[in-house]
Amino acid sequence: MKKKIALVTGGFTGESVISLKSAAVVEKTIDRDLYDVYKILIYPGNWYFESVSGEKIPVDLNDFSIQIAEKKITFDGVFNILHGSPGEDGKLAGYFDMLGIPYTTCDQLTSAITMNKGYTKAIVADVPELNIAKSIQLFENSGQNRKRIESELKLPIFIKPNNGGSSIGMSKVKTWEELPEALDKAFAEDKQVLVEEFVSGREFSIGVFRGKGEITVLPATEIVSSKDFFDFEAKYTAGVTEEITPGRMNEEEVARVARIVEKVYEKLNCKGAVRIDYFLEHETGKFFFIEINTVPGQTETSLISQQVRAIGMDVKDFYTQLIEEMFEG
């Protein structure tokens, strides 16, 4: 008997566009000899499965089931590829926990914490060899907070929504005159905003996953952007950014990064595949943690897919490992 897997996508934020692209790749790549896959689209007040004929079949939220031609279909597990809320911030995880349905991503608590950049940094701060840029977490956009930023931090600074993804609402501020507009932009996306000092370094993104009971650290991708920083355009527009996989690091750096990111994965009690962004500072080579993404993109060109292929692994086998691992949990 093939296991029935719900592939959840869509979402409540601007990242739903990326989620749909990721889901399309997972849907066509996943091993159909092992799994029957049903793509479930989740939008505010509208959860449904779309049949081949285009009919939208609503999801029964009492048990997360669908009814196709008099037949009730329940799911053995969920492949979560829903970026942003509610797939990445713990809301869906909590719902599936209550129904006893396993899923491929981090649990409710880890998902909720890691969506908050400030809280995540506080938790990983004592991981050996890991450094964190000096930052301030803001809960309101006030003149008093602007003064605090100017007195406590040195320019240039990054301003980003604390719970956002895909670099939406993010700015690099080089003069204090730019500060009010950057804060307005970030607060338009989120009620909490993180302001942090700029670290001058080479930027990398690295995938880590648990499969067959073991944590695997994938080769890092080096991000070389023609833009000032890796913003939404740099992430999703061809030609703006050069992505080098494996990234250019010496043996010591490769070993040290692997040590650090495995510790971060364990410390945050991660499940499935996550992606960790970091800098290696120019002068010192020190590792500076940027953020963690617990539902990383799975498009053809996404970093995780590149990294999986770089170790000679088939992306289809990678998905199988993620699915089988969730049943072990």
Side-chain angles (χ1 to χ4, degrees):
M1 281 288 286
K2 289 199 268 188
K3 290 193 171 86
K4 291 187 179 63
I5 301 295
L7 174 65
V8 300
T9 182
F12 299 177
T13 71
E15 288 189 89
S16 60
V17 205
I18 313 298
S19 179
L20 292 171
K21 287 182 179 172
S22 290
V25 171
V26 175
E27 190 177 23
K28 73 170 193 228
T29 310
I30 214 163
D31 194 335
R32 297 303 179 120
D33 294 335
L34 298 176
Y35 313 110
D36 285 326
V37 180
Y38 297 80
K39 186 160 73 180
I40 305 289
L41 292 104
I42 294 178
Y43 295 109
N46 190 20
W47 297 31
Y48 63 90
F49 166 75
E50 197 167 333
S51 70
V52 183
S53 64
E55 185 194 354
K56 291 181 177 177
I57 296 162
V59 173
D60 182 345
L61 296 182
N62 292 301
D63 59 0
F64 194 65
S65 65
I66 53 175
Q67 191 95 12
I68 299 180
E70 308 300 310
K71 190 182 173 197
K72 177 173 170 161
I73 292 170
T74 55
F75 301 104
D76 298 299
V78 171
F79 194 112
N80 177 17
I81 196 62
L82 199 157
H83 311 312
S85 189
E88 200 166 358
D89 57 3
K91 293 187 177 80
L92 265 189
Y95 166 69
F96 291 134
D97 284 343
M98 289 193 292
L99 294 175
I101 302 172
Y103 44 90
T104 52
T105 43
C106 297
D107 68 17
Q108 190 269 330
L109 182 62
T110 295
S111 300
I113 288 170
T114 52
M115 271 301 273
N116 188 304
K117 297 178 178 75
Y119 295 167
T120 305
K121 288 183 173 185
I123 291 170
V124 301
D126 64 351
V127 167
E129 306 175 284
L130 179 146
N131 298 275
I132 287 169
K134 193 175 176 191
S135 66
I136 298 173
Q137 194 168 343
L138 301 181
F139 297 89
E140 62 174 341
N141 190 3
S142 64
Q144 193 179 353
N145 276 334
R146 284 199 285 278
K147 284 189 193 120
R148 190 180 158 207
I149 292 165
E150 290 185 37
S151 67
E152 291 183 29
L153 300 180
K154 294 198 298 282
L155 289 169
I157 53 176
F158 272 120
I159 295 184
K160 41 191 159 183
N162 204 19
N163 299 296
S166 291
S167 305
I168 296 165
M170 187 167 155
S171 307
K172 183 179 180 184
V173 170
K174 295 170 187 168
T175 69
W176 293 124
E177 288 72 33
E178 296 166 5
L179 182 62
E181 189 188 337
L183 285 170
D184 290 346
K185 185 177 166 187
F187 272 107
E189 293 294 328
D190 195 1
K191 294 187 184 76
Q192 292 181 37
V193 164
L194 193 68
V195 184
E196 63 187 7
E197 286 183 351
F198 174 66
V199 174
S200 173
R202 294 177 292 143
E203 186 168 353
F204 297 85
S205 193
I206 190 164
V208 190
F209 74 97
R210 191 187 288 275
K212 297 185 174 172
E214 286 180 10
I215 296 173
T216 299
V217 178
L218 293 166
T221 298
E222 187 173 351
I223 313 289
V224 185
S225 178
S226 57
K227 299 269 293 182
D228 218 6
F229 62 93
F230 197 38
D231 63 3
F232 187 87
E233 187 192 344
K235 278 184 182 174
Y236 301 116
T237 311
V240 174
T241 302
E242 188 185 0
E243 294 167 356
I244 304 163
T245 309
R248 296 167 296 189
M249 294 190 291
N250 61 37
E251 279 181 34
E252 185 278 329
E253 288 168 336
V254 170
R256 176 160 48 96
V257 166
R259 268 198 309 275
I260 295 168
V261 297
E262 185 169 341
K263 284 277 187 300
V264 169
Y265 189 96
E266 289 175 330
K267 179 99 188 192
L268 291 166
N269 188 31
C270 292
K271 305 275 192 313
V274 305
R275 210 187 66 234
I276 293 167
D277 299 340
Y278 64 94
F279 286 119
L280 291 180
E281 194 175 30
H282 282 311
E283 288 95 59
T284 64
K286 283 181 178 174
F287 178 108
F288 275 82
F289 176 87
I290 304 173
E291 65 181 42
I292 184 168
N293 185 318
T294 58
V295 185
Q298 297 289 350
T299 62
E300 301 280 15
T301 56
S302 74
L303 303 180
I304 289 269
S305 308
Q306 291 178 39
Q307 294 168 10
V308 166
R309 288 192 288 269
I311 60 167
M313 188 179 192
D314 198 54
V315 176
K316 182 192 279 186
D317 295 337
F318 170 62
Y319 293 158
T320 299
Q321 283 202 28
L322 296 183
I323 293 167
E324 290 310 310
E325 186 67 27
M326 81 171 161
F327 291 124
E328 296 301 315

